[in-house]
Amino acid sequence: MRKTSPAISFLTICLVCLVFASSCGRQNADVIVAGSTSVQPYAEILAEEYERLYPGNAVDVQGGGSAAGITAVQSGAADIGMSSRALKDGEKSLWSVEIAKDGLAIVVNPQNPVTDLTLEQIRKIYSAEITDWSEAGGTRAKIHIITREEGSGTRSAFEDLVMAGGRISAGAIVQDSNGTVRQLVSSDKNSIGFISLGLVDGTVKAVSLGGVEASAANIENGAYGLSRPFLFVCLGEPEGRARQFIDFVLSGEGQRVLTHEGLIPRAEGAVK
């Protein structure tokens, strides 16, 4: 089992402290939600709709990463944690619910002629066994690998689904959110990154995986294998306003919001 480095632990503690400080400064927030930067933009949209339907109820949504969100819940700094990965063994005593599924899109610059990669090619690119686009069906150019930071749920999902125990190259460029990965790929024609499928737009191109298009339909039918759960996590059975917000997210209206934003509706009975 991989050990968490002291630097990563320190970073997580700092992020939790920021969440706690922010929550202390938001006396009008009924519910504090913190964690995954992948889930964050969807939670913000849900919070806006919830506040519109229930005037006077305020939900404060913050980022920080999946690990920081889970730690914030454990420490009491947040009511709800957001995770874009499955819970680890030491976290499974927490209450959790899957609010939706998300695809993990492998993205390149729109100017890159590559439109399809196999899982093995992606693994070799990220482990630096393949270093030039000409080795993967493109034109001759050095591949610039972009990854997420340690502790990110997106990175954890990528490592589990793609790397098969292998290590991401130490030469990879590390970014701290899906948005910054997308921005860097959009500005560098020789780069490759991975982001939430729901965040793919015209600035980047999602490649097919072994001939299978990265789409919500292909995730639902099982053809596209890179998918992950989006979770809300609580210290125990949620109560009060936190319960009310979660119930809204799981309701037909909440699920319609998430579907409209490109996510895949949750599986029934996905509470643990």
Side-chain angles (χ1 to χ4, degrees):
M1 181 178 294
R2 185 185 306 165
K3 294 183 178 179
T4 303
S5 71
I8 297 168
S9 298
F10 178 73
L11 176 61
T12 300
I13 291 170
C14 288
L15 289 169
V16 172
C17 289
L18 287 172
V19 169
F20 183 74
S22 177
S23 66
C24 288
R26 285 290 304 273
Q27 298 298 323
N28 63 330
D30 299 294
V31 181
I32 303 294
V33 184
S36 168
T37 58
S38 297
V39 184
Q40 183 182 3
Y42 305 104
E44 288 171 347
I45 294 169
L46 289 163
E48 289 177 6
E49 184 63 15
Y50 169 79
E51 290 170 353
R52 185 185 69 80
L53 293 172
Y54 300 94
N57 294 328
V59 178
D60 183 12
V61 181
Q62 304 163 23
S66 295
I70 290 169
T71 303
V73 164
Q74 291 171 325
S75 69
D79 302 296
I80 301 171
M82 301 177 287
S83 178
S84 55
R85 60 164 173 79
L87 296 183
K88 298 178 180 179
D89 288 343
E91 302 163 344
K92 290 182 178 177
S93 61
L94 296 170
W95 182 94
S96 69
V97 63
E98 180 183 286
I99 65 167
K101 285 189 183 297
D102 178 48
L104 196 63
I106 310 302
V107 293
V108 297
N109 188 278
Q111 296 182 53
N112 192 323
V114 172
T115 59
D116 183 79
L117 292 168
T118 66
L119 201 61
E120 183 179 9
Q121 284 175 317
I122 298 167
R123 187 181 304 122
K124 287 184 175 180
I125 287 171
Y126 269 86
S127 62
E129 293 178 64
I130 292 177
T131 59
D132 195 283
W133 278 114
S134 62
E135 302 174 70
T139 55
R140 183 169 295 280
K142 182 180 178 182
I143 300 173
H144 301 155
I145 308 167
I146 303 171
T147 187
R148 288 292 306 278
E149 78 284 7
E150 291 277 4
S152 155
T154 308
R155 176 168 176 150
S156 177
F158 180 83
E159 289 174 333
D160 290 343
L161 295 168
V162 176
M163 296 308 293
R167 301 282 294 180
I168 293 175
S169 169
I173 301 166
V174 179
Q175 296 295 300
D176 63 1
S177 73
N178 276 273
T180 54
V181 171
R182 183 177 62 186
Q183 183 177 16
L184 203 53
V185 172
S186 72
S187 63
D188 180 359
K189 66 180 181 180
N190 296 319
S191 62
I192 186 170
F194 51 88
I195 64 173
S196 168
L197 177 61
L199 296 180
V200 174
D201 60 15
T203 66
V204 293
K205 178 174 66 178
V207 300
S208 297
L209 182 65
V212 179
E213 180 188 1
S215 69
N218 283 334
I219 290 171
E220 286 187 282
N221 65 30
Y224 185 82
L226 301 185
S227 66
R228 57 183 173 155
F230 274 2
L231 305 179
F232 273 2
V233 181
C234 297
L235 189 59
E237 185 78 27
E239 300 177 346
R241 296 292 173 81
R243 174 83 258 181
Q244 186 181 52
F245 177 59
I246 291 172
D247 284 346
F248 164 72
V249 172
L250 302 182
S251 71
E253 180 59 30
Q255 291 295 293
R256 279 191 291 273
V257 169
L258 293 174
T259 301
H260 181 265
E261 295 300 322
L263 297 182
I264 296 91
R266 65 184 288 267
E268 289 299 322
V271 180
K272 298 186 179 180

